[in-house]
């Protein structure tokens, strides 16, 4: 009887989570090169650079998916994910690098993707982006970058950027 109760609880969670994921959607609020009003660098061993930034973005004056590949450029987009009001939604940010990928100073070799999992409040605007900062030339990858938002095993939204040599 206890095993049956546990099984029912597990199945309820599994199907309840799947139903909730089906009701989740996202929209892009703005995209392109942005500036920040504040930024904090944190160590992140899952990142190919070994670090990532938590930033408060200032949106661009106009949207653009063409990005100059040079130092001190930050690009990406703000998105809003929605589900049931008042809920927290697990999302996965996926950045796909162009060509052979990003040199990975943490693990060695090259990486074609970077993934970061986070929890958003329903209706909250959130940034997914990349900063070239003071990157050496081999870290400013020219070509098509793709930034995706996933939830419940389903891609909610993506945006493609073309990084070019200025």
């Amino acid at each position: 009887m206890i095993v049956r109760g546990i099984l029912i609880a597990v199945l309820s969670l599994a199907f309840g989570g799947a139903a909730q994921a089906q009701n989740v959607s996202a929209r892009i609020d703005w995209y392109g090169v942005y500036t920040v009003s504040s930024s904090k660098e944190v160590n992140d061993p899952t990142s190919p650079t070994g670090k990532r930034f938590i930033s408060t973005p200032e949106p661009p004056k106009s949207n653009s998916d063409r990005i100059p590949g040079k130092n001190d450029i930050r690009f990406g987009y703000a998105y809003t994910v929605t589900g049931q009001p008042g809920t927290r939604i697990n999302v996965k940010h996926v950045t796909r690098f162009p060509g052979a990928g990003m040199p990975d100073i943490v693990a060695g070799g090259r990486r074609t993707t970077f993934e970061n999992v986070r929890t958003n409040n329903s209706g909250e605007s959130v940034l997914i982006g990349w900063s070239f900062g003071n990157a050496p030339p081999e870290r400013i990858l020219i070509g098509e970058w793709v930034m995706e938002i996933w939830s419940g095993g389903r891609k909610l939204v993506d945006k493609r950027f073309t990084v070019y040599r200025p």
Side-chain angles (χ1 to χ4, degrees), residues 23-106:
N23 294 328
V24 173
S25 64
R27 72 171 189 279
I28 294 176
D29 301 323
W30 57 259
Y31 59 91
V33 174
Y34 63 90
T35 58
V36 295
S37 58
S38 67
S39 186
K40 180 174 106 176
E41 184 179 63
V42 295
N43 291 330
D44 184 347
T46 67
S47 171
T49 63
K51 301 183 183 309
R52 67 182 167 87
F53 293 89
I54 300 171
S55 302
T56 303
E58 296 290 331
K61 290 184 178 20
S62 63
N63 292 331
S64 176
D65 54 13
R66 291 194 36 82
I67 310 300
K70 62 183 185 175
N71 285 333
D72 297 324
I73 292 292
R74 297 172 188 264
F75 69 99
Y77 62 90
Y79 69 95
T80 300
V81 65
T82 55
Q84 285 187 311
T87 60
R88 294 184 48 79
I89 301 164
N90 292 326
V91 297
K92 178 172 59 172
H93 290 183
V94 178
T95 299
R96 299 186 187 282
F97 305 117
M102 179 70 66
D104 190 332
I105 63 173
V106 175

Side-chain angles (χ1 to χ4, degrees), residues 72-143:
D72 297 324
I73 292 292
R74 297 172 188 264
F75 69 99
Y77 62 90
Y79 69 95
T80 300
V81 65
T82 55
Q84 285 187 311
T87 60
R88 294 184 48 79
I89 301 164
N90 292 326
V91 297
K92 178 172 59 172
H93 290 183
V94 178
T95 299
R96 299 186 187 282
F97 305 117
M102 179 70 66
D104 190 332
I105 63 173
V106 175
R110 298 184 84 80
R111 300 248 318 257
T112 57
T113 63
F114 170 60
E115 298 182 6
N116 182 31
V117 177
R118 58 170 287 129
T119 303
N120 297 356
N121 293 317
S122 180
E124 173 185 22
S125 184
V126 177
L127 171 69
I128 177 173
W130 196 265
S131 171
F132 289 138
N134 292 316
E138 66 270 12
R139 292 198 163 288
I140 300 177
L141 303 179
I142 304 303

Side-chain angles (χ1 to χ4, degrees), residues 10-24 151-154 156:
V10 168
L11 289 174
S12 295
L13 287 172
F15 289 114
Q20 182 181 357
Q22 294 296 326
N23 294 328
V24 173
S151 183
R154 187 170 59 96
L156 301 178

